[in-house]
Amino acid sequence: METGCNMLLLECPYCGVKAEETELSPGYEAHLKRFGPGSTDEEFEAYMFARKNPKGVHFERWRHTYGCGKWFLAARCTATLEVFGTYPAQVGEPPADIIEKIKARRPDWKGYK
Amino acid sequence: MSEPMSALNGAVSDGFVSIREIGPLGMVTLRCKADVKALPKAIKAAVGTGLPALRRVVVEGDRACGWMSPDEYLLVMPYKAVPDALAAVAKTMGKEHHLAVDVSDARAVFRIEGAKAEEVLAKLSPVDFARLEPGELRRTRAAQVAAAFWKEGEGYTLVCFRSVARYVFDLLATSAKLGSELY
Amino acid sequence: MSTRLAKGGRLIDRAAALEFSFNGKRLKGYRGDTLAAALLANDQMLVGRSFKYHRPRGIVAAGPEEPNALVNLGSGGRLEPNQRTTVTELFDGLEATSQNHWPSLEYDVGVVNNYVSRFLPAGFYYKTFIHPRSFWKHVFEPVIRQSAGLGKAPKDRDADRYEQAYAFCDLLVVGGGIAGLQAALVAGRAGARVLVLEQNAHWGGRAPVDGDVIDGKPAGQWVDEAVAALEGMETVTLRARCMAAGVYDHGYVLADEKVADHAPGDGRPKHRLWRIRAGKILTATGAIERPLSFAGNDIPGVMLAASVRDYVVNWAVSPGDRTVVVTNNDDGYRTAIALREAGLAVPAIVDARASPAGDLVARARALGLRIEAGRGIAKVKGGKRVTSVAICLQAGEGAVIDEIACDAVAMSGGWSPVVHLWSHCGGKLIWDMEHACFRPDPARPPLNHDGGALVVAAGAANGAMTADAALLDATAQAEAAVAALGMKPKKAKAPLAEAVVEGPMEAVWIMPQGASIELKSKMWLDYQNDVKVSDVQLAAREGYESVEHTKRYTTLGMATDQGKLSNINGLAVLAQALNEDIPQVGTTTFRPPYTPVTLGALAGEARGEIFQPLRRTPMHGWHEKNGAYFEPVGLWRRPYCFPRAGETHEQAVHREVVNTRTALGLLDASTLGKIIVKGPDAGKFLDMLYTGVMSTLPVGKCRYGLMCNEQGFLSDDGVVARIDEETWLCHTTSGGADRIHAWMEDWLQCEWWDWQVYTANVTEQYAQVAVVGPNARKLLEKLGGMDVSKEALPFMAWADGTLGGFPCRVYRISFSGELSYEIAVPASHGAAFWEALHAAGAEFGVMPYGTEALHVMRAEKGFIMIGDETDGTVIPQDLGLDWAISKKKADFLGKRGQQRNFLASGERWKLVGFETLDGSVIPDGAYIVASGANANGQGNTQGRVTSTYYSPTLKKGIAMGLLHRGPERMGDVVEFNTVKGGTVKARVVDPVFYDKEGEKQNV
């Protein structure tokens, strides 16, 4: 699919603005676990470098930079650009309602882990 | 001590709407969670308004309070009123976790006035003005820089950072040139 | 010859005569003309030359699909090359010149390429200009450059202005023909916010030309009524002269409005680029007629049949007295009928079909027109103008049956829906056998953010090729779109167009079907790029089976018209050559823009002073008035130096350094980032952010800190001041404030959201001045208001107070090694404070200094600079900053990263100082050579210079740099490469060149 001009529309879950991509900053993959001192090389590598980069369902970090300044998370399909939902960043894993919605829309989806 | 000077010293431009730099204007950034009990009292004490709802600004005469984010408010007042407002916030908030800081000098403020004021902003900001609600404070960008604006009287009040005041003024004046009305 | 008819012309106003010029010739036209119509009315059929063979080219079409009739429009600041005459509205005083020829349009020497065309086959460039290698640069490229390119690039600054604007709607209707208007009526009546775009200045599309009858009224009347009804709807906006250029993610559409192309210099913006966000997009973009491939189909006078009809009906222009119509479908008959009704001769209708039938065929017969069924054109004769056609059996190989004298040929190869916008965001196509065309596949539309269809096609753009079918389709599509938007369409009957029964078309890709290679090498597919049937067949023979490869090999469809006329015919020829079905071969990718968008519109307001934001400090005006030479630092402009009359920049910098070290210097340091961090957990937070410990910093004191990213690489530095028990103020680098503030918020919001910390970026709240030099204290004492003595305000302390009546915060910090105060005052007082310092400092020898003097002085002191000593791969330990890294802290951002073996290794390039043996200055960016070479034969290196200056204090070149195991190699002599070749020898020394004990700053 041609997505040369990245012009996603994502609703900020904090302030409710349907922000276009130029009002946002990308923060790449969401739900990464930080590994600090004491972690193994493998753990650190996974934290720092290993990214899923899926064609399909993906969880991402976005910051409403030109708006309320808050970071939020988005679940979307990288292939069709369908957005399953956005949610606040202060969670360890995607909310249940978004998981349900993704399962309904993508029955073959293997889960976010 | 010198008189405080706004970034553009009150620059004016007339096109199909008029653009005016106003100020210096007193502004305080107040960071605090919305559920802190003392917050409405602190805002009342500082600027005399109620606590604004999500994305709203409450204007009372020459003072206002705007919702900037879930834990940030913008208090607007006359420039000289800031020290008292800061003191009032400090007193009311007491030991509650918050941050109140004078940002009057970090900002430039413009008035965009005229029946077609929205058309000037519609050239610079990706905002659906038909869906902007009464009393809504919109944070967005104006061309390449951050800006916030709200409707007030016959026009809009727009706030941006001081260092880009000239850029924003030139943007607004260019967008307001006669003959470039959108509708 | 082509001429203006005495009567008719629905779009022209004969009362408004206009004058224009073509190649200097003064000509006349009417308001409402396109430039193409006016040229034809003046018998100017020859308008340009083709790109490769420089063959004479005439007007082919009447719309944006035109491949030939491109001109240079205007002159000077309004010169625009490659303007399509078919969509250029005529205005009084218009100047046009033809392009791509030399010395003149009529006599072009480049046409020699035409006679050697058999030596210029597809892929000629790829095959020919490979050997010998050296010839490319010196022979081939200069010659190709000379002859390449369409039009002339303007040299003057654009005299016009452009702008952009945002628009929002529920339904965006693209196309203001009957389908688009009907769709807008349906959506508007349902209460939807509708925006309708039409690329032309007039509404209605083809229907009024084709003589359709809608609800018993002529189509033109129905269109007028529909437009009036839409204009009366509150929620509907109509915008003519506005071309939807591209469809992007989530309903984002770019559209180019030609606001004042037709009235240059009237004060309005020339173009306006609309950035539209639509809930749904309905494309009613119509269809484009295809040419037929027969020998000589590029000779001026051969035109698309419907375009011929457009010229006659819309502009009362006859392309020729005698026009032969050649067709594979019934629509071509409309042209024959229109010509005859305008009193013009149609010597024959050459119909490739064996037994044409249908209402239009019957009408043509009734008019007594000669129909040559089952026939094709063997060859068009003529040079710069058609003189006759030779006809043959379509089924045969081209044996001439008859030759018919004529001065125009109207060809119709069927119609292709305009599917560009449907395809931009991933909509798929299906092959329509009945009309031999690709059309949108409703089962595979481009998708929106909700997973539903983003685009629906309607009318001819959806394969509904007749007026009655188009109106029904538009109604149904609009109703469905409105329902999908959550609105209820009002019950209303769809308008009914009188049905015209048409016989089936017949797919004809080559005429005659058994044409010889000689004929095929005169059958043009792409007029602008000179691609012929024989070229595509050659590409197929040479193994270019993929349509994308064939496109690039032959350049089919790669000209400025992007193959609007040529792509389908080319695909069909390729499919035949490969013995495959057309849908199997597939199409090339449709990319925005639909038609070219001028760069001015894409830039919009961003030019001149507002090309990009320029950040100014409160003292910027003073700097400008006092002759500052500025340099960009991020978006800031900072004075690099303040040269005096007769001084070079270098001399100014040296003077500023010496004066600051011996007397008194002032630096505008307002750009330094300033971030307040407050809260019960602020100390803990800063201990995680900085490599050192900030939680233990006493109130009233300052501490230098380093920030690293999680990989451990140094990212920013600055002085942190403890304001009160819960509050710290963090200085960042100039230009680093927003990034570091965002970095802090990221960690606070996404990782440690339960920590009680608030931040605020107060960078611009303060104007900050560094008062530096042995006389610094004297100046502040003269201003008075607070105690700035060594005892009251020692090195690395800060205090609030007033100076000369200005409220201020004074930091005793130094980036120069001198006695230094950095003083922050509210920005609104910054200019006045700066001037007060200058006035009071005169007796102490005050001078402003710029960023370069700052750099020199910090380098003399061995202080690192983010961006000079660091480049994103350097850890603090590389720079000898171990003292600023806490050994005790269990964790800080970057700590784990720095433990990686290649960073912890002793084999790193590390910071040292360098002094050249001859006192010269090491060139910027120089590497330190090592023995041997790497696998690519490049010489090995063992380090590089990071900062290098002439030190006016020490009167010799000094430098810092990274050297393999540098600190262990004090006294060694190493060699740096130089720009001119050769090397310069330098001794490894301590990076602190000046006042090693730090006595000067601590007085």
Side-chain angles (χ1 to χ4, degrees), chain C residues 41-81:
Chain C
N42 287 279
D43 195 29
Q44 187 67 50
M45 177 61 86
L46 175 65
V47 287
R49 294 267 173 176
S50 64
F51 186 59
K52 189 165 160 191
Y53 302 139
H54 291 243
R55 284 175 63 91
R57 287 284 188 252
I59 296 164
V60 170
E65 69 273 31
E66 172 63 38
N68 289 342
L70 307 183
V71 295
N72 298 306
L73 202 63
S75 58
R78 293 213 159 85
L79 171 65
E80 282 188 288

Short mmCIF file of all heavy atoms in Angstrom, two decimals, chain C residues 41-81:
data_model
loop_
_atom_site.label_atom_id
_atom_site.label_comp_id
_atom_site.label_asym_id
_atom_site.label_seq_id
_atom_site.Cartn_x
_atom_site.Cartn_y
_atom_site.Cartn_z
N ALA C 41 -8.62 28.37 -32.77
CA ALA C 41 -9.45 29.35 -33.47
C ALA C 41 -8.60 30.22 -34.37
O ALA C 41 -9.10 30.79 -35.33
CB ALA C 41 -10.19 30.22 -32.45
N ASN C 42 -7.31 30.32 -34.06
CA ASN C 42 -6.38 31.10 -34.88
C ASN C 42 -5.55 30.21 -35.80
O ASN C 42 -4.46 30.58 -36.22
CB ASN C 42 -5.47 31.94 -33.98
CG ASN C 42 -6.19 33.12 -33.36
OD1 ASN C 42 -6.38 34.16 -33.97
ND2 ASN C 42 -6.65 32.93 -32.13
N ASP C 43 -6.04 28.99 -36.02
CA ASP C 43 -5.37 28.02 -36.90
C ASP C 43 -3.96 27.67 -36.44
O ASP C 43 -3.07 27.44 -37.23
CB ASP C 43 -5.34 28.53 -38.36
CG ASP C 43 -5.00 27.39 -39.31
OD1 ASP C 43 -5.32 26.23 -38.99
OD2 ASP C 43 -4.41 27.66 -40.37
N GLN C 44 -3.75 27.71 -35.14
CA GLN C 44 -2.43 27.35 -34.62
C GLN C 44 -2.50 25.92 -34.10
O GLN C 44 -2.61 25.68 -32.91
CB GLN C 44 -2.00 28.32 -33.51
CG GLN C 44 -0.58 28.12 -33.04
CD GLN C 44 0.47 28.46 -34.09
OE1 GLN C 44 0.42 29.53 -34.69
NE2 GLN C 44 1.40 27.55 -34.34
N MET C 45 -2.52 24.97 -35.04
CA MET C 45 -2.62 23.56 -34.64
C MET C 45 -1.28 23.06 -34.12
O MET C 45 -1.19 22.33 -33.15
CB MET C 45 -3.08 22.73 -35.84
CG MET C 45 -3.16 21.24 -35.59
SD MET C 45 -4.33 20.77 -34.30
CE MET C 45 -5.87 20.67 -35.23
N LEU C 46 -0.19 23.48 -34.75
CA LEU C 46 1.15 23.05 -34.34
C LEU C 46 1.56 23.86 -33.11
O LEU C 46 1.64 25.08 -33.17
CB LEU C 46 2.14 23.30 -35.49
CG LEU C 46 3.62 23.02 -35.19
CD1 LEU C 46 3.85 21.55 -34.92
CD2 LEU C 46 4.48 23.48 -36.36
N VAL C 47 1.77 23.20 -31.99
CA VAL C 47 2.04 23.96 -30.76
C VAL C 47 3.34 23.56 -30.07
O VAL C 47 3.78 24.21 -29.14
CB VAL C 47 0.89 23.81 -29.74
CG1 VAL C 47 -0.31 24.61 -30.20
CG2 VAL C 47 0.55 22.35 -29.52
N GLY C 48 3.95 22.45 -30.50
CA GLY C 48 5.17 22.06 -29.81
C GLY C 48 5.87 20.93 -30.53
O GLY C 48 5.49 20.54 -31.64
N ARG C 49 6.94 20.48 -29.89
CA ARG C 49 7.70 19.36 -30.45
C ARG C 49 7.81 18.28 -29.39
O ARG C 49 7.83 18.57 -28.20
CB ARG C 49 9.11 19.85 -30.82
CG ARG C 49 9.11 20.87 -31.95
CD ARG C 49 9.30 20.20 -33.28
NE ARG C 49 9.13 21.15 -34.39
CZ ARG C 49 9.33 20.81 -35.66
NH1 ARG C 49 9.70 19.59 -35.98
NH2 ARG C 49 9.16 21.69 -36.61
N SER C 50 7.91 17.05 -29.83
CA SER C 50 8.00 15.96 -28.86
C SER C 50 9.38 15.93 -28.24
O SER C 50 10.32 16.54 -28.72
CB SER C 50 7.67 14.63 -29.50
OG SER C 50 8.63 14.33 -30.48
N PHE C 51 9.49 15.21 -27.15
CA PHE C 51 10.64 15.24 -26.28
C PHE C 51 11.88 14.61 -26.92
O PHE C 51 12.97 15.15 -26.85
CB PHE C 51 10.25 14.50 -25.00
CG PHE C 51 11.29 14.55 -23.93
CD1 PHE C 51 11.71 15.77 -23.42
CD2 PHE C 51 11.81 13.39 -23.40
CE1 PHE C 51 12.65 15.81 -22.42
CE2 PHE C 51 12.76 13.43 -22.40
CZ PHE C 51 13.18 14.63 -21.91
N LYS C 52 11.69 13.48 -27.55
CA LYS C 52 12.83 12.70 -28.00
C LYS C 52 13.14 12.94 -29.47
O LYS C 52 14.28 13.24 -29.82
CB LYS C 52 12.52 11.22 -27.76
CG LYS C 52 13.67 10.26 -27.96
CD LYS C 52 13.27 8.91 -27.33
CE LYS C 52 14.08 7.76 -27.85
NZ LYS C 52 13.50 6.48 -27.43
N TYR C 53 12.12 12.84 -30.32
CA TYR C 53 12.35 12.96 -31.76
C TYR C 53 12.05 14.35 -32.29
O TYR C 53 12.21 14.60 -33.48
CB TYR C 53 11.47 11.95 -32.52
CG TYR C 53 11.71 10.52 -32.10
CD1 TYR C 53 10.64 9.63 -31.96
CD2 TYR C 53 13.00 10.04 -31.88
CE1 TYR C 53 10.84 8.32 -31.59
CE2 TYR C 53 13.21 8.72 -31.50
CZ TYR C 53 12.13 7.87 -31.35
OH TYR C 53 12.32 6.57 -30.98
N HIS C 54 11.57 15.23 -31.42
CA HIS C 54 11.25 16.59 -31.84
C HIS C 54 10.26 16.59 -33.00
O HIS C 54 10.35 17.41 -33.90
CB HIS C 54 12.52 17.36 -32.19
CG HIS C 54 13.36 17.67 -30.99
ND1 HIS C 54 13.63 18.94 -30.56
CD2 HIS C 54 13.96 16.84 -30.09
CE1 HIS C 54 14.38 18.88 -29.47
NE2 HIS C 54 14.58 17.62 -29.16
N ARG C 55 9.33 15.65 -32.97
CA ARG C 55 8.31 15.64 -34.04
C ARG C 55 7.30 16.75 -33.79
O ARG C 55 7.04 17.12 -32.66
CB ARG C 55 7.59 14.29 -34.06
CG ARG C 55 8.45 13.18 -34.68
CD ARG C 55 7.78 11.84 -34.57
NE ARG C 55 6.52 11.75 -35.29
CZ ARG C 55 6.40 11.34 -36.54
NH1 ARG C 55 7.47 11.01 -37.23
NH2 ARG C 55 5.21 11.26 -37.11
N PRO C 56 6.73 17.29 -34.86
CA PRO C 56 5.72 18.33 -34.67
C PRO C 56 4.53 17.79 -33.92
O PRO C 56 4.10 16.65 -34.14
CB PRO C 56 5.33 18.73 -36.10
CG PRO C 56 5.93 17.72 -37.00
CD PRO C 56 7.02 16.99 -36.27
N ARG C 57 4.02 18.58 -33.02
CA ARG C 57 2.92 18.11 -32.18
C ARG C 57 1.79 19.12 -32.17
O ARG C 57 2.01 20.33 -32.04
CB ARG C 57 3.41 17.93 -30.74
CG ARG C 57 4.31 16.71 -30.56
CD ARG C 57 3.48 15.45 -30.57
NE ARG C 57 4.27 14.30 -30.22
CZ ARG C 57 4.64 13.35 -31.08
NH1 ARG C 57 4.29 13.44 -32.34
NH2 ARG C 57 5.35 12.33 -30.67
N GLY C 58 0.58 18.61 -32.27
CA GLY C 58 -0.60 19.46 -32.22
C GLY C 58 -1.42 19.17 -30.99
O GLY C 58 -1.10 18.28 -30.20
N ILE C 59 -2.49 19.93 -30.84
CA ILE C 59 -3.38 19.73 -29.71
C ILE C 59 -4.15 18.43 -29.92
O ILE C 59 -4.67 18.19 -31.01
CB ILE C 59 -4.34 20.94 -29.59
CG1 ILE C 59 -3.53 22.19 -29.28
CG2 ILE C 59 -5.42 20.68 -28.56
CD1 ILE C 59 -4.28 23.49 -29.52
N VAL C 60 -4.19 17.58 -28.90
CA VAL C 60 -4.87 16.29 -29.02
C VAL C 60 -6.17 16.29 -28.23
O VAL C 60 -7.16 15.71 -28.65
CB VAL C 60 -3.95 15.16 -28.49
CG1 VAL C 60 -4.71 13.85 -28.38
CG2 VAL C 60 -2.75 15.00 -29.41
N ALA C 61 -6.14 16.92 -27.06
CA ALA C 61 -7.26 16.78 -26.13
C ALA C 61 -7.81 18.16 -25.76
O ALA C 61 -7.37 19.18 -26.29
CB ALA C 61 -6.80 16.04 -24.89
N ALA C 62 -8.78 18.17 -24.87
CA ALA C 62 -9.37 19.43 -24.43
C ALA C 62 -9.34 19.55 -22.92
O ALA C 62 -10.00 20.42 -22.35
CB ALA C 62 -10.80 19.55 -24.95
N GLY C 63 -8.59 18.69 -22.26
CA GLY C 63 -8.58 18.71 -20.79
C GLY C 63 -7.21 18.42 -20.23
O GLY C 63 -6.20 18.55 -20.93
N PRO C 64 -7.16 18.02 -18.97
CA PRO C 64 -5.86 17.82 -18.29
C PRO C 64 -5.07 16.63 -18.83
O PRO C 64 -3.90 16.48 -18.49
CB PRO C 64 -6.27 17.59 -16.83
CG PRO C 64 -7.67 17.11 -16.89
CD PRO C 64 -8.30 17.77 -18.08
N GLU C 65 -5.69 15.82 -19.67
CA GLU C 65 -4.97 14.66 -20.21
C GLU C 65 -4.06 15.04 -21.37
O GLU C 65 -3.31 14.21 -21.87
CB GLU C 65 -5.98 13.58 -20.65
CG GLU C 65 -6.83 13.93 -21.87
CD GLU C 65 -8.11 14.69 -21.54
OE1 GLU C 65 -8.10 15.45 -20.55
OE2 GLU C 65 -9.11 14.53 -22.26
N GLU C 66 -4.12 16.29 -21.81
CA GLU C 66 -3.36 16.72 -22.98
C GLU C 66 -1.86 16.43 -22.82
O GLU C 66 -1.24 16.90 -21.87
CB GLU C 66 -3.57 18.23 -23.19
CG GLU C 66 -2.68 18.86 -24.26
CD GLU C 66 -2.94 18.29 -25.65
OE1 GLU C 66 -4.11 18.01 -25.97
OE2 GLU C 66 -1.97 18.12 -26.40
N PRO C 67 -1.27 15.69 -23.77
CA PRO C 67 0.16 15.38 -23.65
C PRO C 67 1.06 16.35 -24.43
O PRO C 67 2.25 16.43 -24.14
CB PRO C 67 0.26 13.99 -24.27
CG PRO C 67 -0.84 13.98 -25.31
CD PRO C 67 -1.93 14.90 -24.83
N ASN C 68 0.53 17.03 -25.42
CA ASN C 68 1.39 17.77 -26.35
C ASN C 68 1.44 19.26 -26.12
O ASN C 68 2.51 19.86 -26.18
CB ASN C 68 0.88 17.58 -27.79
CG ASN C 68 1.12 16.19 -28.30
OD1 ASN C 68 1.95 15.47 -27.74
ND2 ASN C 68 0.40 15.80 -29.32
N ALA C 69 0.28 19.84 -25.93
CA ALA C 69 0.17 21.30 -26.03
C ALA C 69 0.60 21.96 -24.73
O ALA C 69 -0.19 22.52 -23.99
CB ALA C 69 -1.25 21.70 -26.41
N LEU C 70 1.91 21.87 -24.46
CA LEU C 70 2.48 22.52 -23.28
C LEU C 70 3.27 23.73 -23.74
O LEU C 70 3.99 23.66 -24.73
CB LEU C 70 3.43 21.57 -22.54
CG LEU C 70 2.89 20.20 -22.16
CD1 LEU C 70 3.95 19.44 -21.37
CD2 LEU C 70 1.63 20.33 -21.35
N VAL C 71 3.15 24.82 -23.02
CA VAL C 71 3.85 26.04 -23.43
C VAL C 71 4.53 26.69 -22.24
O VAL C 71 4.24 26.37 -21.08
CB VAL C 71 2.86 27.07 -24.04
CG1 VAL C 71 2.26 26.55 -25.34
CG2 VAL C 71 1.76 27.43 -23.03
N ASN C 72 5.45 27.59 -22.55
CA ASN C 72 5.96 28.50 -21.53
C ASN C 72 4.93 29.62 -21.44
O ASN C 72 4.60 30.24 -22.44
CB ASN C 72 7.29 29.12 -21.95
CG ASN C 72 8.37 28.06 -22.12
OD1 ASN C 72 8.62 27.28 -21.23
ND2 ASN C 72 8.99 28.04 -23.30
N LEU C 73 4.46 29.89 -20.24
CA LEU C 73 3.43 30.90 -20.05
C LEU C 73 4.03 32.07 -19.28
O LEU C 73 4.70 31.87 -18.28
CB LEU C 73 2.28 30.28 -19.26
CG LEU C 73 0.92 30.94 -19.38
CD1 LEU C 73 0.41 30.86 -20.81
CD2 LEU C 73 -0.06 30.26 -18.44
N GLY C 74 3.77 33.27 -19.77
CA GLY C 74 4.23 34.46 -19.06
C GLY C 74 5.71 34.69 -19.26
O GLY C 74 6.37 34.01 -20.04
N SER C 75 6.24 35.67 -18.52
CA SER C 75 7.66 35.98 -18.63
C SER C 75 8.15 36.54 -17.31
O SER C 75 7.35 36.86 -16.43
CB SER C 75 7.87 36.99 -19.76
OG SER C 75 7.12 38.16 -19.48
N GLY C 76 9.46 36.62 -17.20
CA GLY C 76 10.07 37.19 -15.99
C GLY C 76 9.63 36.45 -14.74
O GLY C 76 9.72 35.23 -14.66
N GLY C 77 9.14 37.19 -13.77
CA GLY C 77 8.70 36.60 -12.50
C GLY C 77 7.43 35.80 -12.61
O GLY C 77 7.00 35.19 -11.64
N ARG C 78 6.82 35.82 -13.80
CA ARG C 78 5.60 35.03 -13.97
C ARG C 78 5.78 33.97 -15.06
O ARG C 78 4.80 33.46 -15.60
CB ARG C 78 4.41 35.93 -14.31
CG ARG C 78 4.00 36.84 -13.16
CD ARG C 78 2.51 37.11 -13.12
NE ARG C 78 2.10 37.54 -11.79
CZ ARG C 78 2.16 38.80 -11.36
NH1 ARG C 78 2.59 39.76 -12.16
NH2 ARG C 78 1.81 39.09 -10.13
N LEU C 79 7.01 33.65 -15.39
CA LEU C 79 7.24 32.59 -16.38
C LEU C 79 6.97 31.23 -15.76
O LEU C 79 7.50 30.90 -14.70
CB LEU C 79 8.69 32.65 -16.88
CG LEU C 79 9.12 31.46 -17.75
CD1 LEU C 79 8.34 31.42 -19.06
CD2 LEU C 79 10.62 31.53 -18.04
N GLU C 80 6.12 30.46 -16.43
CA GLU C 80 5.87 29.09 -15.97
C GLU C 80 5.99 28.16 -17.16
O GLU C 80 5.23 28.29 -18.13
CB GLU C 80 4.44 28.96 -15.43
CG GLU C 80 4.22 29.50 -14.06
CD GLU C 80 2.84 29.13 -13.57
OE1 GLU C 80 1.87 29.71 -14.08
OE2 GLU C 80 2.72 28.23 -12.73
N PRO C 81 6.91 27.21 -17.10
CA PRO C 81 7.02 26.26 -18.20
C PRO C 81 5.97 25.16 -18.07
O PRO C 81 5.35 25.00 -17.02
CB PRO C 81 8.42 25.68 -18.01
CG PRO C 81 8.68 25.80 -16.54
CD PRO C 81 7.91 27.00 -16.06
#
